[in-house]
C-alpha cells in the first residue's frame, strides 16, 4: 500500500502539486497499487480552497484524493467552513495532520 501525503502552503506551487498528485494517481492506477493520497493545505495556499478561487479542486475529488484544509490557517484569514469548495475537509492543524500521517507511515511530498 502506497499512502502519500502532499503538502502545499505557497500559492505559486499549485500547478506543481496538482501535476504531482495526478502523476502519482495515474501511476498507482497503471500499476494496480492501492493507497491513500491526501493533500494538506495551509499557509497562504488556504485562500485557494474557497468557492470561486482560481484553483478548482474538483478534479482532485473526482479521482479520489482527500483534500484537507488547516483550521488555523482558515481562522487567520477569516475563512469559514461554508466558504470552502465541496469535499474539502477541515483538520484542526495542518502541521499536526502532516506529523500524524508521517507517523502512520505515509510518504511526505512537498513540491
Amino acid at each position: 500500500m502506497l499512502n502519500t501525503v502532499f503538502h502545499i502552503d505557497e500559492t505559486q506551487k499549485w500547478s506543481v502539486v496538482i501535476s504531482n498528485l495526478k502523476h502519482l494517481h495515474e501511476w498507482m492506477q497503471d500499476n494496480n497499487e492501492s493507497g491513500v493520497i491526501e493533500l494538506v493545505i495551509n499557509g497562504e495556499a488556504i485562500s485557494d480552497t474557497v468557492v470561486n478561487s482560481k484553483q478548482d479542486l474538483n478534479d482532485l475529488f473526482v479521482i479520489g484524493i482527500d483534500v484537507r484544509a488547516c483550521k488555523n490557517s482558515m481562522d487567520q484569514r477569516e475563512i469559514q467552513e461554508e466558504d470552502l469548495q465541496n469535499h474539502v475537509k477541515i483538520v484542526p492543524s495542518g502541521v499536526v495532520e502532516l506529523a500524524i500521517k508521517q507517523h502512520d507511515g505515509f510518504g511526505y511530498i512537498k513540491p
Side-chain angles (χ1 to χ4, degrees):
M1 186 171 291
L2 189 60
N3 295 326
T4 309
V5 62
F6 286 77
H7 176 206
I8 184 168
D9 60 358
E10 301 168 89
T11 56
Q12 69 269 23
K13 300 281 180 119
W14 274 109
S15 62
V16 176
V17 79
I18 288 175
S19 177
N20 288 172
L21 287 160
K22 289 180 177 179
H23 288 147
L24 177 60
H25 177 264
E26 289 171 8
W27 182 90
M28 289 172 70
Q29 295 293 306
D30 291 346
N31 291 279
N32 231 7
E33 183 69 50
S34 64
V36 173
I37 303 173
E38 182 175 310
L39 173 62
V40 175
I41 307 164
N42 71 340
E44 69 180 31
I46 201 72
S47 299
D48 293 318
T49 62
V50 299
V51 175
N52 296 324
S53 78
K54 61 184 175 185
Q55 293 303 320
D56 181 359
L57 302 174
N58 194 53
D59 288 347
L60 300 179
F61 308 133
V62 168
I63 62 174
I65 294 172
D66 297 328
V67 179
R68 305 288 185 250
C70 171
K71 180 75 166 115
N72 290 332
S73 294
M74 289 172 60
D75 289 347
Q76 291 170 351
R77 290 158 184 82
E78 299 181 354
I79 296 171
Q80 304 302 313
E81 183 173 0
E82 57 270 11
D83 298 330
L84 298 177
Q85 295 181 43
N86 288 332
H87 309 291
V88 174
K89 303 289 189 260
I90 299 172
V91 294
S93 168
V95 295
V96 172
E97 179 72 3
L98 293 168
I100 290 169
K101 292 300 180 188
Q102 289 178 75
H103 181 266
D104 290 344
F106 277 62
Y108 171 77
I109 299 175
K110 183 176 191 288

